[in-house]
Amino acid sequence: MTEKSFRYDKGMETRRSVLGDAHVDRAEAGKTPFDEPFQTLITETAWGNVWSSDKITKRERSMLTLALLAATGNFEEIPMHVRATANTGASRDDIMEAFLHVAVYAGVPKANHAIKLAKQVFAEQEEEGNK
């Protein structure tokens, strides 16, 4: 097995464990020849290297990821990563702590928007019966 295929396979395993099979299956089904190189890149690097490392916990990675997404204004992925906390062990309190850091270090409006998105996810989960 080549290093590339090992990182890809490990990345896909980690991606599925964090985001869930249904999410990854939808993403894979939507993959085209145009975006396949990008999908391979994120699977190997973000998931195969960074998220697969055992240097910090997946709970801590969730908190960091949510804070970074909010701080940089990349709000589109926040709901996905809030949902992923069910698989990483980050609690609602952990999510709030991450966003409080965002408020202090990156700005209240960014934290406010991230909190609004998290609350929407929590409401959806409660409607579905998944707290």
Side-chain angles (χ1 to χ4, degrees):
M1 177 178 286
T2 67
E3 178 65 25
K4 180 180 177 182
S5 65
F6 173 78
R7 279 190 320 234
Y8 185 87
D9 292 345
K10 182 64 179 168
M12 190 57 75
E13 176 186 326
T14 301
R15 187 177 174 200
R16 287 182 179 283
S17 76
V18 171
L19 300 178
D21 287 330
H23 174 85
V24 176
D25 289 345
R26 281 190 306 274
E28 287 294 294
K31 186 168 55 177
T32 67
F34 175 73
D35 69 342
E36 185 172 6
F38 175 75
Q39 292 296 322
T40 299
L41 174 76
I42 62 172
T43 300
E44 290 177 353
T45 57
W47 297 105
N49 287 332
V50 175
W51 273 89
S52 292
S53 171
D54 61 359
K55 301 298 181 197
I56 62 174
T57 66
K58 289 196 175 30
R59 173 185 162 265
E60 293 164 322
R61 284 190 200 288
S62 279
M63 293 170 70
L64 284 167
T65 300
L66 286 165
L68 287 165
L69 289 170
T72 57
N74 290 297
F75 298 110
E76 187 174 305
E77 291 199 359
I78 286 177
M80 173 182 69
H81 280 281
V82 168
R83 286 183 198 92
T85 62
N87 299 323
T88 65
S91 68
R92 290 182 180 190
D93 288 341
D94 292 334
I95 293 168
M96 180 54 73
E97 288 299 317
F99 293 152
L100 290 173
H101 268 68
V102 170
V104 171
Y105 291 101
V108 169
K110 288 180 178 177
N112 187 44
H113 189 63
I115 291 166
K116 176 184 172 185
L117 293 170
K119 287 170 60 176
Q120 289 172 350
V121 171
F122 299 153
E124 291 167 7
Q125 289 173 328
E126 288 168 5
E127 285 177 15
E128 296 165 1
N130 303 321
K131 288 190 178 180

